[in-house]
Amino acid sequence: MSVGIVAIDGPAGSGKSTVARAVAEQLGWSFLDTGAMYRAVTVEVLARGLDVRDEAAVGALAATLTLTTTPRVSVNGRDVQDEIRTDTINVAVSTVAANPLVRQAMVERQRAWAHDQPRGTVVEGRDITTVVFPDATLKVYLTASAEERARRRGDESARSIARRDEADSTRVTSPLRQANDALFIDTTARDADEVAGEIVQCLTNRLSS
Ligand code: CDP
């Protein structure tokens, strides 16, 4: 059973993945990119020709899929690592992720995964601090200016990012929002390793108090 959980949420391009990986590395803990899971489900939904808005069909499919995120992202054994960040997936993923049946299936997997980690784990996404692990050892909300977030996402247009942010924060089920007790960090002009250091320091203080 996992000895600790660092939960990190934030909008696209806020630095979640880079910072979460660095925190995991500094601590010797594992790391879970939950966005990759929603993206992988979306790849499979489109590959099967389903309508992304068909909640019942998409939800039923999500519940049956075998997903891996490390060392590479795969669905039912098929490597989809190179497909998950294409424009097609950027456009469709927020609709799939708004589906409550899909969320239920992903949250179950995320909790089971964390439970099985021999050491601690760092998990990042949109609902990790609010829904998946509301009792995490440390909760963090990362953000950055819209310009900086678009710059970091050279491969995705500012419009597409804004559309995804809007959909993710206004959906009914598990919208992106800052948990009251989350450590808030604006990463705009900051180096990822330095932000990771601040998070590790905060976790260390918490564990020793
Ligand atoms: O890397 P970026 O922040 O741009 O996106 P991501 O973390 O790969 O997540 C892709 C999409 O998955 C988001 O826009 C959300 O729609 C969805 N997502 C979610 O709903 N809940 C999560 N815990 C993680 C991602």
Side-chain angles (χ1 to χ4, degrees), residues 9-14 16-17 33-36 38-39 85 90 93-95 97-98 103 110 124-128 132 153 156 161 164-165 167-168 171 174:
D9 285 326
S14 57
K16 294 184 308 290
S17 290
D33 171 0
T34 62
Y38 290 95
R39 287 175 180 275
R85 296 198 173 272
N90 286 336
V93 66
S94 290
T95 305
R103 301 207 70 80
Q110 291 154 14
E124 59 97 350
R126 299 289 190 292
D127 61 340
I128 310 304
V132 187
R153 279 303 148 81
E156 184 178 3
I161 292 173
R164 226 153 36 84
D165 284 348
D168 294 343
R171 67 184 175 214
S174 311

Side-chain angles (χ1 to χ4, degrees), residues 3 23-24 27 52 74 91 104 122 141 143 149 157 159 206-207:
V3 297
V23 170
L27 293 167
V52 288
S74 76
V91 169
Q104 194 186 333
V122 184
Y141 187 88
T143 192
R149 296 196 291 110
S157 72
R159 239 178 96 220
R206 190 151 301 187
L207 290 174

Side-chain angles (χ1 to χ4, degrees), residues 147-178:
E147 296 73 30
E148 175 61 13
R149 296 196 291 110
R151 193 190 64 75
R152 288 176 186 165
R153 279 303 148 81
D155 53 345
E156 184 178 3
S157 72
R159 239 178 96 220
S160 166
I161 292 173
R163 211 181 300 126
R164 226 153 36 84
D165 284 348
E166 168 77 10
D168 294 343
S169 23
T170 57
R171 67 184 175 214
V172 175
T173 310
S174 311
L176 168 66
R177 63 173 184 82
Q178 187 189 338

